[in-house]
Amino acid sequence: MTAIFPHKKAKALKAGSRRPAKELCSECGLCDTYFVHYVKNACAFINQQIGALEQQTHGRERLTSRQLPILENPDELYFGVHQQMMAARKVEPIEGAQWTGIVSSIAIEMLNRGMVEGVVCVQNTKEDRFQPMPVIARTPEEILAARVNKPTLSPNLSVLEEIEKSGMKRLLVIGVGCQIQALRAVEKQLGLEKLYVLGTPCVDNVTRAGLQKFLDTTSKSPDTVVYYEFMQDFRVHFKHEDGSLETVPFFGLNTKELKDVFAPSCMSCFDYVNSLADLVVGYMGAPFGWQWLIVRNDTGKEMLELVQDQIETQPVTSQGKRQEAVQQSIPAYDKGVTLPMWAAKLMGVVIEKIGPKGLEYARFSIDSHFTRNYLYVKRHHPEKLESHVPEFAKQIVKQYKLPE
Ligand code: FAD
Ligand code: SF4
């Protein structure tokens, strides 16, 4: 006879032991729990199933040019199934949040109104502001303690066993694409009445050691960095402990040194915009200083409505043309070309003036990362290329000429 919960007999893999996805593992945390039983189906890097999970979550897959010519549906092809997109910011930003704190505010409202009993989010350890520590927050203070990005791979799903054992029935999970893909795959086994998913886009994540190398190579004062972001003005912004801001143009990054700093999982990821979340909160499709919201389904709409009186909004816009800049950057990145700083700064100023903005900037970033990642999978895991790259990503990559 088959057990009702066969996973409960499985044993979590010990931290540090090899994961089934091997070097592509993003340390999402699933394998730290008895849900490892489902890993071959659930892991985003073993079984790419975004289309099937879009169907399960949103009731349909995103439209690709199979249904419509590429130029007629660029929004859905790029940004996934959605009802609405907008730019938004909190009227009173949360101090110390990554942007204005829309993510933390929604989570707090959901808890305060009794819509959920707990929120899966990521705090940091006492010793290290960048070392992620996933928790199930049960108070607004615990949610606030998780604000701001931990720009490192985070085992968010390591708390899944705790959720099932706690008997919680209504839960909010905050997470990035690879975590959410595995979560959606085991959602039905969690015994929940309602799962809400608040996602952020995610790209170029690193291990803790990789982060140190990135900070040491790029910032003038790596030990005092409290926050950083790759911004729409084509610069990396580092915020330091004393509140000062340091900016470094993308084109001045030491690409040769940094080439293998990003985790192999992130070099082979095609779910930049968190296709399976109910609501996505990022920044890259919005004007500088604003956040970018993608409402994917009715659950996401319900979540956003909770903070309508705390935010101001404006429609998303799109300006410029990205394709030429993307095409030129492909061989430059591939060869690890680094410009001298004066040239990088000049290029940054020019491209900021005439380069892509709003949704076109988001497409620029998606195109640049998908072409890079496609080449990475082709070269390092050719046997996975066909099944691992989703159809929408293949169509995006096809617009460009790639080196062998
Ligand atoms: P806050 O209120 O500060 O809350 C941040 C939330 O993020 C917290 O609830 C915390 O639990 C969660 N979190 C922090 N670190 C992690 C982690 N490592 N894994 C999972 N969850 C985490 N947006 C873009 O538009 N383009 C990008 O390229 C992009 N890259 C990102 C890369 C990473 C690693 C992360 C975590 C986010 C990224 N984002 C990106 C999203 C963006 O930086 C903000 O997180 C988002 O706009 C929310 O801002 P906020 O002020 O509302 O969040
Ligand atoms: Fe396991 Fe997650 Fe790593 Fe896949 S990415 S092997 S599910 S821990």
Side-chain angles (χ1 to χ4, degrees), residues 148-183:
V148 77
N149 292 358
K150 286 26 134 209
T152 41
L153 301 176
S154 174
N156 281 27
L157 301 188
S158 60
V159 298
L160 282 190
E161 249 180 73
E162 207 189 311
I163 291 160
E164 212 192 8
K165 286 178 183 157
S166 73
M168 257 179 209
K169 292 292 171 210
R170 305 181 70 81
L171 184 76
L172 168 67
V173 175
I174 299 171
V176 297
C178 55
Q179 299 158 358
I180 302 307
Q181 277 185 63
L183 175 74

Side-chain angles (χ1 to χ4, degrees), residues 276-334:
L276 304 168
D278 299 309
L279 172 67
V280 179
V281 182
Y283 66 89
M284 65 181 178
F288 189 70
W290 290 70
Q291 294 188 257
W292 173 46
L293 271 48
I294 311 176
V295 181
R296 298 211 180 281
N297 55 33
D298 288 345
T299 303
K301 190 168 167 234
E302 186 192 354
M303 290 155 74
L304 181 59
E305 274 165 8
L306 301 172
V307 295
Q308 282 304 356
D309 59 345
Q310 301 177 31
I311 59 175
E312 50 185 329
T313 62
Q314 59 166 301
V316 280
T317 56
S318 188
Q319 258 181 54
K321 278 203 183 313
R322 70 194 180 281
Q323 278 99 341
E324 208 176 310
V326 175
Q327 185 63 66
Q328 280 171 10
S329 68
I330 295 170
Y333 182 87
D334 205 42

Side-chain angles (χ1 to χ4, degrees), residues 98-99 101-104 122 148-150 201 229 283-284 291:
Q98 182 72 13
W99 282 80
I102 293 180
V103 167
S104 299
V122 193
V148 77
N149 292 358
K150 286 26 134 209
E229 193 88 83
Y283 66 89
M284 65 181 178
Q291 294 188 257

Side-chain angles (χ1 to χ4, degrees), residues 119-145:
V119 177
V120 175
C121 52
V122 193
Q123 299 176 352
N124 55 278
T125 61
K126 278 201 186 78
E127 304 75 41
D128 182 354
R129 65 167 77 94
F130 291 130
Q131 186 68 48
M133 188 176 75
V135 296
I136 306 173
R138 291 176 174 84
T139 65
E141 292 71 31
E142 287 169 350
I143 293 171
L144 278 178

